[in-house]
Amino acid sequence: MNIIGPDALVFGVDDIAACTEYLTEFGLKPIDVTDKGGFFEALDGTGVEIRHRDDPSLPTPLPTPTMLRQQVYGVQSTEDLDAIETELSKDRRVTRLADGSLETTDVFDFALKFQVTKRRELVMEAEKINAPGAPAGRAPNELGIYPGMPALPRTLSHTVLFVPDQQKGAEWYVERLGFVITDILVPAGPFLRPKANDDHHTLFFIQTPEYMKGIEHLAFHMGGPTELMVAGSRLARKGFQSFWGPGRHKFGSNWFWYFNSPLGTHFEYDADMDKHDDSWVARQAPMSPQGTQMFLFEWRKRWSPGPGPEGITEGEDTPE
Amino acid sequence: MSVEVTLPPLCRAKDVAEGQTLGCTVPGQRRKVIVMRHRGALHGWLDACPHYAGGTPMAWKKNEYLNGAGTHLTCHAHGALFDPETGECVAGACLGKRLTRVELRLETDGTVRLAKALEGGKTE
């Protein structure tokens, strides 16, 4: 089963206009978006779909306030869809849609969809840096940053779910869908990656009471830590609420910056995540400040020393 | 001898329309104060979702603290819903917990102030 990772996440929301503003400012491109919702895509075509929570086309909601209605996984080929259908049909209803995709539910009743991936191959450079002792990352006169530089989400990276039994969840995704546990935060739960993706994780569970079941956060990969800082700073400067970060996680090594959202979950920018193969041996660490992060900063308006005792803080409309 | 302490102004009453919220900064405090007008009355709540100890900020954007229907104060971290009159969490991650009420003082000129100093949560 060559599952690549999340192609899309589908939400049933209560404020289409607010979500449209949020997703657009986050850096996703609206595709056929109307007052009834639509799709917001990252540079590779992965992304987030929103509909009004009462839209009858949405999968059945969970019995909790979560707005997540479906996780859409991309796979490599139709043969992978056949293999998933054969496996999951053993004990649950699997519906084959006209386009060949599959709809079903996981062990916690989260709605899942599997499709031959719709993500486009990205051909882009990573953030380029110069460091003594290493070949120069940038050519002479090539600048590292400039006002207005692009800093857009490249691809949907991972999903984190509140689940009532992380052990049961890990077993189901490993045994039924071929996911691999890369690391474990104790007592929260495991980081998982599917077979056809070498990212440290595309899925993580946090064990919670049943009434919290739902999405905890989702993340998009950026082109590097500078893009992450630039995108997050632009969002914060416009008044969007930072929740956690910027910082750098230990497991996965990825930079992170989480923001609140009107979709009832955090949206995270991440960058520079570790890659793993099957020789990797999973580690364990406590779910603690030192277990989860190497360092943590908090955003503030730009400030500089100035002639007065308070220095100078940027105003509301200061250009980048 | 008593000393009259003037507590900081939060906003103007006329700036908070029915069913609207404002996130007001308090000098020296880490958390904002949410001022909401609900059924004509002004209510003050600490902008600190009780899901995690110490509380976390609840808006998705400056001054945006309500769900889409405008019926509940909402933590836009995980979508927890709070009764706008009692502060009680009625659904979501902090079920059974409640927001911290902030007593407000409405002055004759329409200025809304803290009725008493906030405890704890000072800027680190």
Side-chain angles (χ1 to χ4, degrees), chain A residues 2-71:
Chain A
N2 295 299
I3 298 172
I4 297 169
D7 268 8
L9 296 171
V10 181
F11 289 82
V13 304
D14 63 358
D15 192 337
I16 296 281
C19 293
T20 297
E21 177 190 355
Y22 180 85
L23 295 168
T24 306
E25 294 290 355
F26 188 81
L28 302 174
K29 181 180 177 184
I31 306 292
D32 297 330
V33 172
T34 68
D35 60 359
K36 293 187 168 32
F39 192 69
F40 296 79
E41 70 170 25
L43 296 178
D44 74 340
T46 58
V48 170
E49 180 177 343
I50 60 166
R51 301 286 168 198
H52 191 272
R53 65 193 318 161
D54 297 329
D55 190 321
S57 70
L58 287 170
T60 307
L62 289 169
T64 63
T66 190
M67 296 185 191
L68 178 66
R69 296 294 275 271
Q70 189 178 57
Q71 299 166 75

Side-chain angles (χ1 to χ4, degrees), chain A residues 14 21 216 239 241 260-261 266, chain B residues 57 59-62 68 76-78:
Chain A
D14 63 358
E21 177 190 355
E216 197 284 325
Q241 181 61 57
N260 286 357
S261 86
H266 296 133
Chain B
W60 64 269
K61 186 184 177 185
K62 186 177 180 182
H76 292 93
H78 296 122

Side-chain angles (χ1 to χ4, degrees), chain A residues 179-191:
Chain A
F179 279 60
V180 177
I181 295 175
T182 47
D183 284 320
I184 300 170
L185 277 176
V186 180
F191 292 92

Side-chain angles (χ1 to χ4, degrees), chain B residues 14-54:
Chain B
K14 66 179 177 58
D15 294 337
V16 193
E18 177 63 30
Q20 299 294 309
T21 53
L22 277 186
C24 304
T25 303
V26 180
Q29 291 288 335
R30 181 176 173 80
R31 299 293 174 220
K32 292 180 180 176
V33 170
I34 305 167
V35 178
M36 177 179 186
R37 190 181 294 280
H38 179 69
R39 294 178 180 166
L42 291 175
H43 295 266
W45 303 102
L46 200 61
D47 180 9
C49 175
H51 178 186
Y52 295 113

Side-chain angles (χ1 to χ4, degrees), chain B residues 38-122:
Chain B
H38 179 69
R39 294 178 180 166
L42 291 175
H43 295 266
W45 303 102
L46 200 61
D47 180 9
C49 175
H51 178 186
Y52 295 113
T56 55
M58 294 169 45
W60 64 269
K61 186 184 177 185
K62 186 177 180 182
N63 299 328
E64 301 290 347
Y65 292 93
L66 298 175
N67 60 335
T71 55
H72 291 83
L73 285 159
T74 303
C75 176
H76 292 93
H78 296 122
L81 301 175
F82 299 88
D83 184 296
E85 285 193 23
T86 66
E88 184 183 357
C89 177
V90 296
C94 25
L95 202 60
K97 298 180 181 177
R98 63 178 61 229
L99 298 176
T100 302
R101 183 180 288 280
V102 175
E103 297 297 334
L104 305 177
R105 192 171 83 195
L106 177 59
E107 308 213 322
T108 52
D109 68 352
T111 302
V112 179
R113 292 183 187 276
L114 292 175
K116 59 182 181 181
L118 295 178
E119 295 177 3
K122 287 189 165 36

